[in-house]
Protein backbone atom coordinates (compact mmCIF):
# COMPACT_ATOMS: atom_id res chain seq x y z
CA UNK A 1 0.00 0.00 0.00
CA UNK A 2 2.80 2.35 0.95
CA UNK A 3 4.69 1.46 -2.18
CA UNK A 4 1.71 2.60 -4.26
CA UNK A 5 1.56 5.93 -2.51
CA UNK A 6 5.28 6.67 -2.56
CA UNK A 7 6.70 8.39 -5.59
CA UNK A 8 9.98 7.94 -7.31
CA UNK A 9 12.19 10.91 -6.54
CA UNK A 10 14.78 11.10 -9.24
CA UNK A 11 16.20 14.28 -10.63
CA UNK A 12 17.71 14.10 -14.06
CA UNK A 13 20.09 16.86 -15.03
CA UNK A 14 22.06 16.54 -18.23
CA UNK A 15 21.14 12.89 -18.29
CA UNK A 16 22.69 12.19 -14.89
CA UNK A 17 20.79 10.39 -12.16
CA UNK A 18 21.73 12.72 -9.30
CA UNK A 19 19.89 11.58 -6.26
CA UNK A 20 16.95 9.35 -5.92
CA UNK A 21 14.60 7.74 -3.47
CA UNK A 22 13.07 4.72 -5.13
CA UNK A 23 10.13 2.80 -3.70
CA UNK A 24 12.56 0.08 -2.72
CA UNK A 25 14.78 2.52 -0.84
CA UNK A 26 11.80 4.05 0.98
CA UNK A 27 10.66 0.57 1.99
CA UNK A 28 14.15 -0.16 3.34
CA UNK A 29 14.03 3.05 5.40
CA UNK A 30 10.71 1.96 6.90
CA UNK A 31 12.14 -1.46 7.77
CA UNK A 32 15.23 0.16 9.26
CA UNK A 33 13.02 2.42 11.39
CA UNK A 34 11.38 -0.73 12.73
CA UNK A 35 14.79 -2.04 13.78
CA UNK A 36 15.80 -4.17 10.81
CA UNK A 37 19.60 -4.16 10.72
CA UNK A 38 19.76 -5.83 7.31
CA UNK A 39 17.79 -2.92 5.86
CA UNK A 40 20.35 -0.53 7.33
CA UNK A 41 23.20 -2.52 5.75
CA UNK A 42 21.47 -2.27 2.38
CA UNK A 43 20.95 1.48 2.79
CA UNK A 44 24.65 1.92 3.56
CA UNK A 45 25.43 0.07 0.35
CA UNK A 46 23.06 2.29 -1.65
CA UNK A 47 24.26 5.61 -0.27
CA UNK A 48 27.94 5.03 0.58
CA UNK A 49 29.29 6.23 -2.77
CA UNK A 50 27.15 9.38 -2.79
CA UNK A 51 28.04 10.27 0.78
CA UNK A 52 31.73 9.68 0.15
CA UNK A 53 31.52 11.70 -3.09
CA UNK A 54 29.86 14.67 -1.41
CA UNK A 55 32.37 14.55 1.45
CA UNK A 56 35.29 14.39 -0.95
CA UNK A 57 34.00 17.34 -2.95
CA UNK A 58 33.67 19.34 0.24
CA UNK A 59 36.96 18.34 1.90
CA UNK A 60 39.12 17.43 -1.08
CA UNK A 61 40.96 14.58 0.56
CA UNK A 62 40.31 10.90 1.10
CA UNK A 63 41.02 10.72 4.83
CA UNK A 64 38.49 13.40 5.76
CA UNK A 65 35.97 12.06 3.26
CA UNK A 66 36.31 8.61 4.83
CA UNK A 67 35.77 10.07 8.30
CA UNK A 68 32.65 11.93 7.14
CA UNK A 69 31.27 8.84 5.42
CA UNK A 70 31.73 6.62 8.49
CA UNK A 71 30.43 9.18 10.95
CA UNK A 72 27.42 10.00 8.73
CA UNK A 73 26.20 6.40 8.72
CA UNK A 74 26.78 6.00 12.45
CA UNK A 75 24.76 9.18 13.06
CA UNK A 76 22.04 8.03 10.70
CA UNK A 77 21.84 4.80 12.71
CA UNK A 78 21.53 6.71 15.97
CA UNK A 79 19.08 9.35 14.72
CA UNK A 80 16.82 7.40 12.40
CA UNK A 81 14.02 7.88 14.93
CA UNK A 82 14.09 11.62 14.18
CA UNK A 83 13.24 11.10 10.50
CA UNK A 84 9.51 11.63 10.11
CA UNK A 85 9.24 11.24 6.36
CA UNK A 86 11.04 8.17 4.93
CA UNK A 87 10.82 9.58 1.39
CA UNK A 88 13.21 12.31 2.50
CA UNK A 89 15.86 9.89 3.73
CA UNK A 90 18.24 11.17 1.03
CA UNK A 91 17.98 14.76 2.33
CA UNK A 92 18.34 13.45 5.90
CA UNK A 93 21.57 11.63 5.10
CA UNK A 94 22.92 14.54 3.00
CA UNK A 95 22.18 16.96 5.82
CA UNK A 96 24.09 14.84 8.34
CA UNK A 97 27.01 14.46 5.94
CA UNK A 98 27.20 18.13 4.94
CA UNK A 99 26.87 19.35 8.53
CA UNK A 100 29.70 17.08 9.64
CA UNK A 101 31.81 18.16 6.65
CA UNK A 102 31.13 21.85 7.46
CA UNK A 103 32.32 21.19 11.03
CA UNK A 104 35.51 19.65 9.67
CA UNK A 105 36.05 22.58 7.27
CA UNK A 106 35.71 25.00 10.19
CA UNK A 107 38.08 22.96 12.35
CA UNK A 108 40.63 22.75 9.59
CA UNK A 109 40.40 26.41 8.64
CA UNK A 110 43.83 27.94 8.85
CA UNK A 111 45.48 24.56 8.48
CA UNK A 112 47.39 24.05 5.27
CA UNK A 113 45.41 21.74 3.04
CA UNK A 114 47.24 20.02 0.22
CA UNK A 115 45.92 20.77 -3.23
CA UNK A 116 44.75 17.68 -5.09
CA UNK A 117 47.82 17.33 -7.24
CA UNK A 118 50.15 17.81 -4.27
CA UNK A 119 48.55 15.19 -2.07
CA UNK A 120 51.08 12.50 -1.23
CA UNK A 121 48.95 10.34 1.01
CA UNK A 122 49.07 6.66 0.11
CA UNK A 123 46.07 5.76 -1.94
CA UNK A 124 45.06 9.39 -2.24
CA UNK A 125 42.67 10.29 -4.97
CA UNK A 126 41.84 13.51 -6.72
CA UNK A 127 38.88 15.45 -7.98
CA UNK A 128 38.44 15.11 -11.70
CA UNK A 129 36.80 17.10 -14.45
CA UNK A 130 34.53 14.76 -16.31
CA UNK A 131 34.98 16.37 -19.70
CA UNK A 132 35.91 14.80 -22.98
CA UNK A 133 39.37 16.09 -23.76
CA UNK A 134 41.16 15.52 -27.02
CA UNK A 135 44.62 17.05 -26.69
CA UNK A 136 47.33 17.08 -24.00
CA UNK A 137 47.08 20.89 -23.95
CA UNK A 138 43.40 20.63 -23.19
CA UNK A 139 44.12 18.14 -20.36
CA UNK A 140 46.59 20.57 -18.79
CA UNK A 141 44.19 23.48 -19.24
CA UNK A 142 41.39 21.54 -17.58
CA UNK A 143 43.66 20.56 -14.71
CA UNK A 144 44.67 24.17 -14.16
CA UNK A 145 41.06 25.29 -14.27
CA UNK A 146 40.04 22.60 -11.81
CA UNK A 147 42.78 23.66 -9.41
CA UNK A 148 41.73 27.29 -9.71
CA UNK A 149 38.05 26.45 -9.12
CA UNK A 150 38.88 24.25 -6.12
CA UNK A 151 41.12 26.93 -4.63
CA UNK A 152 38.57 29.71 -5.17
CA UNK A 153 35.73 27.59 -3.75
CA UNK A 154 37.79 26.78 -0.66
CA UNK A 155 37.93 30.47 0.16
CA UNK A 156 34.15 30.73 0.32
CA UNK A 157 32.42 30.63 3.73
CA UNK A 158 31.42 27.01 4.54
CA UNK A 159 27.68 27.44 3.93
CA UNK A 160 28.18 29.18 0.57
CA UNK A 161 30.66 26.48 -0.39
CA UNK A 162 28.22 23.73 0.59
CA UNK A 163 25.36 25.38 -1.32
CA UNK A 164 27.54 25.61 -4.42
CA UNK A 165 28.63 21.98 -4.13
CA UNK A 166 25.13 20.64 -3.51
CA UNK A 167 23.49 22.69 -6.27
CA UNK A 168 26.08 23.14 -8.99
CA UNK A 169 28.31 20.09 -8.51
CA UNK A 170 25.91 17.51 -7.08
CA UNK A 171 23.10 18.88 -9.22
CA UNK A 172 20.43 19.05 -6.52
CA UNK A 173 17.46 21.39 -6.85
CA UNK A 174 17.18 24.51 -4.70
CA UNK A 175 14.30 22.87 -2.84
CA UNK A 176 16.44 19.85 -1.98
CA UNK A 177 19.38 22.03 -0.97
CA UNK A 178 17.08 24.09 1.27
CA UNK A 179 15.82 20.92 2.94
CA UNK A 180 19.34 19.60 3.45
CA UNK A 181 20.67 22.90 4.77
CA UNK A 182 17.55 23.57 6.82
CA UNK A 183 17.01 27.06 5.44
CA UNK A 184 14.55 28.85 3.12
CA UNK A 185 14.96 28.47 -0.64
CA UNK A 186 15.56 32.21 -0.87
CA UNK A 187 18.68 31.75 1.29
CA UNK A 188 19.91 28.99 -1.01
CA UNK A 189 19.36 31.23 -4.03
CA UNK A 190 21.13 34.14 -2.42
CA UNK A 191 24.09 32.05 -1.19
CA UNK A 192 24.41 30.45 -4.60
CA UNK A 193 24.43 33.76 -6.46
CA UNK A 194 26.99 35.26 -4.08
CA UNK A 195 29.23 32.18 -4.35
CA UNK A 196 29.05 32.09 -8.15
CA UNK A 197 29.74 35.81 -8.47
CA UNK A 198 32.79 35.50 -6.20
CA UNK A 199 34.16 32.61 -8.26
CA UNK A 200 33.39 34.42 -11.51
CA UNK A 201 35.30 37.46 -10.31
CA UNK A 202 38.33 35.41 -9.25
CA UNK A 203 38.39 33.20 -12.31
CA UNK A 204 37.39 35.81 -14.90
CA UNK A 205 40.45 35.29 -17.09
CA UNK A 206 40.27 31.50 -17.06
CA UNK A 207 36.54 31.46 -17.70
CA UNK A 208 36.83 33.85 -20.63
CA UNK A 209 39.54 31.94 -22.49
CA UNK B 1 14.29 49.30 -20.87
CA UNK B 2 16.40 47.31 -23.31
CA UNK B 3 19.42 49.46 -22.52
CA UNK B 4 19.49 48.43 -18.87
CA UNK B 5 22.04 45.77 -17.91
CA UNK B 6 20.52 42.41 -17.11
CA UNK B 7 23.25 41.02 -14.83
CA UNK B 8 20.79 40.68 -11.91
CA UNK B 9 18.92 38.07 -13.99
CA UNK B 10 21.92 36.08 -15.21
CA UNK B 11 22.04 33.51 -12.39
CA UNK B 12 18.37 32.67 -12.81
CA UNK B 13 18.89 32.67 -16.59
CA UNK B 14 21.58 29.97 -16.48
CA UNK B 15 19.45 27.99 -14.01
CA UNK B 16 16.51 28.17 -16.44
CA UNK B 17 14.29 29.90 -13.93
CA UNK B 18 13.28 32.94 -15.97
CA UNK B 19 10.01 33.35 -17.80
CA UNK B 20 10.09 33.31 -21.57
CA UNK B 21 9.66 37.08 -21.65
CA UNK B 22 12.50 37.70 -19.18
CA UNK B 23 14.79 35.22 -20.96
CA UNK B 24 14.27 36.92 -24.32
CA UNK B 25 14.92 40.28 -22.64
CA UNK B 26 18.28 38.94 -21.44
CA UNK B 27 19.06 37.48 -24.90
CA UNK B 28 18.18 40.69 -26.72
CA UNK B 29 20.20 42.82 -24.34
CA UNK B 30 23.23 40.49 -24.54
CA UNK B 31 23.22 40.87 -28.34
CA UNK B 32 23.97 44.55 -28.01
CA UNK B 33 25.84 44.71 -24.69
CA UNK B 34 29.33 43.22 -24.60
CA UNK B 35 29.59 43.47 -20.81
CA UNK B 36 26.45 41.43 -20.20
CA UNK B 37 27.34 38.97 -22.97
CA UNK B 38 30.73 38.38 -21.36
CA UNK B 39 29.14 38.00 -17.92
CA UNK B 40 26.67 35.44 -19.23
CA UNK B 41 29.41 33.46 -20.97
CA UNK B 42 31.54 33.37 -17.84
CA UNK B 43 28.61 32.23 -15.74
CA UNK B 44 27.66 29.50 -18.22
CA UNK B 45 31.27 28.34 -18.39
CA UNK B 46 31.56 28.27 -14.58
CA UNK B 47 28.32 26.34 -14.20
CA UNK B 48 29.39 23.79 -16.81
CA UNK B 49 32.80 23.33 -15.19
CA UNK B 50 31.30 22.90 -11.74
CA UNK B 51 28.80 20.34 -13.03
CA UNK B 52 31.67 18.38 -14.56
CA UNK B 53 33.60 18.06 -11.30
CA UNK B 54 33.49 14.51 -10.10
CA UNK B 55 34.73 12.83 -6.97
CA UNK B 56 37.17 10.01 -7.58
CA UNK B 57 36.14 6.41 -7.19
CA UNK B 58 38.27 4.83 -4.44
CA UNK B 59 37.13 1.38 -5.57
CA UNK B 60 34.77 -1.34 -4.43
CA UNK B 61 37.31 -2.67 -1.91
CA UNK B 62 37.30 0.64 -0.06
CA UNK B 63 33.48 0.80 0.00
CA UNK B 64 33.27 -2.76 1.32
CA UNK B 65 35.70 -1.83 4.10
CA UNK B 66 33.61 1.25 4.83
CA UNK B 67 30.47 -0.88 5.18
CA UNK B 68 32.32 -3.23 7.53
CA UNK B 69 33.54 -0.37 9.71
CA UNK B 70 30.05 1.11 9.90
CA UNK B 71 28.64 -2.32 10.77
CA UNK B 72 31.20 -2.73 13.58
CA UNK B 73 30.49 0.70 15.02
CA UNK B 74 26.73 0.43 14.85
CA UNK B 75 26.87 -3.11 16.29
CA UNK B 76 28.64 -1.81 19.38
CA UNK B 77 25.96 0.91 19.70
CA UNK B 78 23.24 -1.77 19.63
CA UNK B 79 25.07 -3.78 22.28
CA UNK B 80 25.50 -0.73 24.50
CA UNK B 81 21.83 0.22 24.30
CA UNK B 82 20.79 -3.40 24.95
CA UNK B 83 22.98 -3.67 28.03
CA UNK B 84 21.59 -0.39 29.30
CA UNK B 85 17.99 -1.44 28.92
CA UNK B 86 18.35 -5.02 30.24
CA UNK B 87 21.05 -5.01 32.89
CA UNK B 88 21.35 -2.89 35.96
CA UNK B 89 24.62 -1.05 35.76
CA UNK B 90 27.10 -2.63 38.20
CA UNK B 91 28.39 -0.31 40.93
CA UNK B 92 32.11 -0.44 41.71
CA UNK B 93 33.47 -0.75 45.29
CA UNK B 94 34.74 2.84 45.37
CA UNK B 95 31.36 4.15 44.20
CA UNK B 96 29.64 2.15 46.97
CA UNK B 97 31.96 3.61 49.66
CA UNK B 98 31.40 7.12 48.33
CA UNK B 99 27.63 6.65 48.41
CA UNK B 100 27.79 5.43 52.08
CA UNK B 101 29.94 8.43 53.06
CA UNK B 102 27.48 10.82 51.44
CA UNK B 103 24.60 9.16 53.30
CA UNK B 104 26.44 9.42 56.69
CA UNK B 105 27.30 13.09 56.04
CA UNK B 106 23.68 13.83 55.17
CA UNK B 107 22.47 12.12 58.36
CA UNK B 108 24.91 14.12 60.54
CA UNK B 109 23.88 17.39 58.87
CA UNK B 110 20.23 16.56 59.44
CA UNK B 111 20.85 15.68 63.10
CA UNK B 112 22.73 18.89 63.89
CA UNK B 113 20.30 20.94 61.84
CA UNK B 114 17.29 19.65 63.75
CA UNK B 115 19.12 20.23 67.06
CA UNK B 116 19.82 23.89 66.25
CA UNK B 117 16.35 24.44 64.86
CA UNK B 118 14.61 23.13 67.98
CA UNK B 119 16.95 25.17 70.19
CA UNK B 120 16.30 28.28 68.16
CA UNK B 121 12.52 27.91 68.16
CA UNK B 122 12.40 27.34 71.91
CA UNK B 123 14.10 30.74 72.39
CA UNK B 124 17.48 29.53 73.57
CA UNK B 125 19.77 30.40 70.74
CA UNK B 126 23.02 30.56 72.69
CA UNK B 127 25.16 28.52 70.48
CA UNK B 128 28.85 28.01 71.28
CA UNK B 129 29.55 30.66 68.66
CA UNK B 130 26.96 33.15 69.85
CA UNK B 131 29.11 36.22 69.05
CA UNK B 132 28.80 35.50 65.37
CA UNK B 133 25.05 35.07 65.67
CA UNK B 134 24.81 38.47 67.34
CA UNK B 135 26.53 40.15 64.41
CA UNK B 136 24.13 38.48 62.00
CA UNK B 137 21.11 39.45 64.02
CA UNK B 138 22.28 43.02 64.22
CA UNK B 139 22.51 43.42 60.47
CA UNK B 140 19.43 41.48 59.54
CA UNK B 141 16.38 42.21 61.70
CA UNK B 142 14.91 38.96 62.95
CA UNK B 143 11.14 38.66 62.74
CA UNK B 144 11.06 36.66 65.99
CA UNK B 145 11.30 38.86 69.08
CA UNK B 146 14.43 38.12 71.05
CA UNK B 147 14.63 38.41 74.84
CA UNK B 148 17.82 40.45 74.62
CA UNK B 149 16.69 44.10 74.22
CA UNK B 150 20.03 45.06 72.71
CA UNK B 151 19.20 43.02 69.65
CA UNK B 152 15.95 44.92 69.14
CA UNK B 153 17.58 48.31 68.84
CA UNK B 154 17.96 49.64 65.31
CA UNK B 155 21.44 50.34 64.05
CA UNK B 156 22.81 53.77 65.15
CA UNK B 157 22.59 55.25 61.65
CA UNK B 158 18.89 54.49 61.46
CA UNK B 159 18.04 56.24 64.75
CA UNK B 160 16.95 59.85 64.39
CA UNK B 161 18.11 62.56 66.71
CA UNK B 162 14.60 63.31 68.08
CA UNK B 163 14.16 59.83 69.48
CA UNK B 164 17.61 60.02 71.07
CA UNK B 165 16.66 63.31 72.68
CA UNK B 166 13.38 61.79 73.93
CA UNK B 167 15.18 58.80 75.38
CA UNK B 168 17.64 61.08 77.08
CA UNK B 169 14.85 63.15 78.61
CA UNK B 170 13.04 59.98 79.80
CA UNK B 171 16.18 58.80 81.52
CA UNK B 172 16.65 62.15 83.11
CA UNK B 173 13.05 62.07 84.41
Amino acid sequence: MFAQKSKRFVTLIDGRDIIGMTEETTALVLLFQKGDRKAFTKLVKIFRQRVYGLAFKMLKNHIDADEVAQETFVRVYKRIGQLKSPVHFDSFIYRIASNYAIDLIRKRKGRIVAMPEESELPGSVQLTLATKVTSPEKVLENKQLLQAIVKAAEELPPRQQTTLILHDIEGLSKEEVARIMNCPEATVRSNLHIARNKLKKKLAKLLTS
Amino acid sequence: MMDRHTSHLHNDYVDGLLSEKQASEVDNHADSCEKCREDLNQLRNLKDRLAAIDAPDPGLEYFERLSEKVAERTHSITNESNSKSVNIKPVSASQAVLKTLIRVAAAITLLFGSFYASDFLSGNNQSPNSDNWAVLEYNIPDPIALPDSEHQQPPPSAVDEESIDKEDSDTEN
Side-chain angles (χ1 to χ4, degrees):
Chain A
M1 197 170 75
F2 180 83
Q4 282 176 336
K5 281 185 183 178
S6 69
K7 296 172 187 172
R8 186 179 162 83
F9 287 83
V10 177
T11 312
L12 282 169
I13 295 178
D14 300 332
R16 286 193 297 166
D17 186 340
I18 304 301
I19 186 169
M21 278 298 292
T22 60
E23 287 169 4
E24 190 196 359
T25 316
T26 312
L28 284 172
V29 176
L30 280 166
L31 285 171
F32 171 36
Q33 284 187 316
K34 285 174 188 167
D36 188 336
R37 264 193 73 88
K38 280 182 185 172
F40 173 68
T41 308
K42 284 179 186 169
L43 286 168
V44 172
K45 202 173 177 182
I46 292 168
F47 284 93
R48 61 192 182 188
Q49 199 156 354
R50 291 179 205 171
V51 171
Y52 174 86
L54 172 69
F56 194 96
K57 285 165 193 167
M58 289 180 76
L59 294 149
K60 286 105 189 168
N61 73 80
H62 172 72
I63 291 176
D64 285 343
D66 178 47
E67 184 184 332
V68 171
Q70 272 192 54
E71 194 57 36
T72 297
F73 289 113
V74 171
R75 288 182 184 194
V76 164
Y77 188 86
K78 284 180 184 173
R79 298 176 190 174
I80 192 63
Q82 293 171 13
L83 178 68
K84 287 171 188 165
S85 172
V87 290
H88 291 142
F89 180 75
D90 48 2
S91 302
F92 178 70
I93 202 166
Y94 261 55
R95 182 189 289 185
I96 291 174
S98 58
N99 280 347
Y100 191 75
I102 288 173
D103 284 347
L104 280 188
I105 290 170
R106 286 188 177 135
K107 274 184 200 167
R108 296 186 179 10
K109 213 164 193 181
R111 202 192 72 176
I112 299 164
V113 178
M115 285 296 289
E117 86 288 358
E118 293 165 350
S119 184
E120 289 169 4
L121 295 164
S124 69
V125 277
Q126 302 173 9
L127 284 173
T128 52
L129 266 178
T131 48
K132 288 170 189 169
V133 286
T134 47
S135 64
E137 291 82 16
K138 201 75 187 163
V139 173
L140 186 67
E141 192 189 301
N142 273 332
K143 201 176 172 184
Q144 283 171 344
L145 184 57
L146 173 66
Q147 284 170 21
I149 291 174
V150 168
K151 199 180 173 192
E154 266 178 6
E155 286 166 18
L156 294 171
R159 283 185 77 83
Q160 282 177 22
Q161 200 184 127
T162 309
T163 308
L164 188 84
I165 291 169
L166 289 173
H167 188 275
D168 281 358
I169 301 180
E170 288 291 293
L172 304 186
S173 68
K174 289 185 179 68
E175 188 192 342
E176 282 170 319
V177 178
R179 203 163 44 230
I180 290 165
M181 300 199 69
N182 200 20
C183 66
E185 263 186 69
T187 310
V188 172
R189 195 168 164 266
S190 157
N191 275 338
L192 186 65
H193 292 189
I194 294 168
R196 279 180 186 165
N197 289 340
K198 282 181 184 172
L199 290 194
K200 205 172 59 180
K201 212 173 175 182
K202 280 184 185 168
L203 308 167
K205 278 185 185 174
L206 286 167
L207 292 170
T208 306
S209 58
Chain B
M1 284 295 283
M2 293 299 288
D3 294 325
R4 282 175 62 184
H5 290 302
T6 52
S7 53
H8 61 288
L9 296 172
H10 291 178
N11 273 290
D12 284 342
Y13 179 89
V14 294
D15 285 340
L17 297 175
L18 293 184
S19 66
E20 222 170 280
K21 192 185 167 194
Q22 283 176 313
S24 66
E25 191 188 321
V26 172
D27 284 334
N28 292 337
H29 178 77
D31 286 343
S32 57
C33 176
E34 200 187 329
K35 195 184 170 192
C36 282
R37 193 164 58 242
E38 187 60 43
D39 189 66
L40 261 179
N41 284 338
Q42 285 180 354
L43 206 54
R44 275 200 204 103
N45 201 356
L46 175 67
K47 206 177 172 240
D48 289 347
R49 299 289 175 164
L50 286 169
I53 289 179
D54 218 351
D57 182 4
L60 185 64
E61 203 180 314
Y62 162 74
F63 285 120
E64 289 299 321
R65 269 206 319 275
L66 174 69
S67 288
E68 281 167 21
K69 282 179 196 168
V70 171
E72 273 172 33
R73 288 182 64 185
T74 51
H75 191 68
S76 63
I77 293 166
T78 315
N79 286 346
E80 268 174 37
S81 60
N82 284 345
S83 66
K84 270 180 194 168
S85 59
V86 176
N87 303 324
I88 297 165
K89 205 178 174 185
V91 180
S92 68
S94 60
Q95 279 177 320
V97 170
L98 188 68
K99 273 188 179 176
T100 313
L101 281 173
I102 290 168
R103 279 178 194 149
V104 169
I108 291 169
T109 312
L110 198 65
L111 194 69
F112 277 91
S114 59
F115 170 74
Y116 276 111
S118 63
D119 215 23
F120 189 74
L121 289 168
S122 65
N124 180 20
N125 69 330
Q126 293 301 311
S127 67
N129 203 7
S130 58
D131 287 345
N132 292 342
W133 280 102
V135 171
L136 280 171
E137 283 154 8
Y138 185 80
N139 291 329
I140 306 161
D142 202 308
I144 304 166
L146 298 171
D148 188 353
S149 59
E150 194 188 317
H151 293 155
Q152 287 180 308
Q153 282 182 2
S157 59
V159 179
D160 60 1
E161 284 179 9
E162 270 182 34
S163 63
I164 292 171
D165 290 343
K166 200 185 171 189
E167 264 184 58
D168 285 347
S169 62
D170 288 347
T171 332
E172 277 170 17
N173 292 337

